[in-house]
Amino acid sequence: MVKRWGLFLLMIGLTYSVAAQKPAVSVLKQKAPETFRAVFTTTKGDFEIEAYRKWSPLGVDRLYQLISTGFYDKALLFRVEPGFVVQFGIGASYSDNRFWDPKKLLDEPMLQKNLSGTIAFARGGPKERATQIFINLSDNKKLDTVIRGGVKGYTPIARVLRGMDHIKKFYGGYGKRPALIQDSLYKYGNFYFQERFPMLDQIIRARIVK
C-alpha cells in the first residue's frame, strides 16, 4: 500500500510538473502602472486590491507580473490565522514555481505600515521576496519592527479596497500547520494539500481590472 501511494504521488508530481509552460523571461521586464487594481475571485467571494508603485517599485512590478500571467489562479490559501494574516502565493503549476521562486527581489524600505487590509510579500530573510504575499487581518505593528536576517519589517505593496468580509471567512482552523510543510505544496501541487487539509480555501482567478 505504501509503495502504491508513493507511486501515485510520483505520478501526480510528474503531471503537476508538466501542467503548464513556464512564463517567458521577457515578463520580468514588465513594469506596473503607478497604481493598478486587481480582483481575486475565491471560494468565499471576490476581493479587490489596489497596488501603489511608489510604496515598493520592485514589489509592485512583481505583483503585476504575477497577476498578469495567471500565477495566482487556483492557488491555495495555505496560511489563515484569524486576527493576524492570510498568506498565499505557491502556484498551482510546478513549472511556474520553478520559474519564479529563484527570482528573488531586493529588499525595499518600508514606506507604509502593516495596517489591516494592507498586503506585503512574505519572506524569511534578506532578498527573499518572490511570489508569496500576505494580507494583514489587523493592525500588525510587530510586522513594522520585527528584524529578520538584518532586514526590518515587511514592506506593504497594496491594500484591499473591498471584500475584507470575504477574506475574513477563509477557513482558519488549520492555523500555521499547512505553512510548516509548504515544501510539499511546491513539490506535489494542490492535490497533496487538499487531501490533508480539505477545508482550505482557494483563489479561483486573479485578474487586473484597472
Side-chain angles (χ1 to χ4, degrees):
M1 186 69 178
V2 174
K3 287 185 177 181
R4 286 183 181 179
W5 179 245
L7 180 60
F8 185 59
L9 281 179
L10 177 60
M11 292 174 65
I12 288 293
L14 289 173
T15 301
Y16 175 57
S17 68
V18 299
Q21 294 183 344
K22 66 181 180 181
V25 175
S26 59
V27 73
L28 297 171
K29 298 179 180 179
Q30 198 172 37
K31 301 292 184 185
E34 288 306 306
T35 64
F36 74 87
R37 294 183 181 182
V39 171
F40 289 71
T41 299
T42 80
T43 44
K44 288 294 194 294
D46 290 359
F47 66 89
E48 183 175 0
I49 70 167
E50 187 167 58
Y52 308 95
R53 199 168 184 272
K54 64 182 180 181
W55 286 11
S56 170
L58 296 177
V60 172
D61 284 349
R62 174 59 56 85
L63 181 66
Y64 189 81
Q65 295 161 6
L66 291 166
I67 296 174
S68 65
T69 57
F71 177 82
Y72 292 117
D73 296 356
K74 300 181 181 179
L76 293 174
L77 300 156
F78 63 84
R79 181 182 179 185
V80 180
E81 294 188 65
F84 183 40
V85 298
V86 169
Q87 186 172 329
F88 59 94
I90 298 176
S93 162
Y94 179 77
S95 59
D96 274 357
N97 289 318
R98 189 168 55 181
F99 174 82
W100 287 107
D101 194 55
K103 296 170 175 62
K104 311 294 188 185
L105 298 175
L106 296 174
D107 296 302
E108 296 176 294
M110 255 190 52
L111 302 180
Q112 301 293 323
K113 294 183 178 181
N114 283 275
L115 301 176
S116 179
T118 57
I119 301 167
F121 274 96
R123 60 172 181 78
K127 301 178 184 178
E128 284 195 354
R129 297 185 302 167
T131 63
Q132 291 193 35
I133 58 177
F134 63 85
I135 303 170
N136 286 294
L137 298 180
S138 61
D139 294 348
N140 288 321
K141 294 180 181 179
K142 65 180 180 181
L143 298 184
D144 298 332
T145 58
V146 65
I147 296 176
R148 287 193 173 178
V151 181
K152 181 180 179 180
Y154 291 80
T155 303
I157 57 173
R159 67 186 178 96
V160 176
L161 292 180
R162 63 176 179 86
M164 278 297 289
D165 55 330
H166 295 151
I167 292 169
K168 290 181 178 180
K169 291 177 183 176
F170 294 149
Y171 183 75
Y174 301 125
K176 292 174 64 175
R177 283 191 293 141
L180 296 176
I181 58 167
Q182 59 184 270
D183 285 352
S184 295
L185 184 55
Y186 277 107
K187 186 174 182 180
Y188 299 119
N190 286 358
F191 171 83
Y192 187 86
F193 262 38
Q194 288 168 333
E195 282 288 298
R196 287 156 179 74
F197 308 107
M199 298 296 290
L200 285 179
D201 284 291
Q202 186 176 37
I203 293 168
I204 298 168
R205 183 187 176 202
R207 65 193 186 280
I208 293 167
V209 294
K210 186 176 180 181

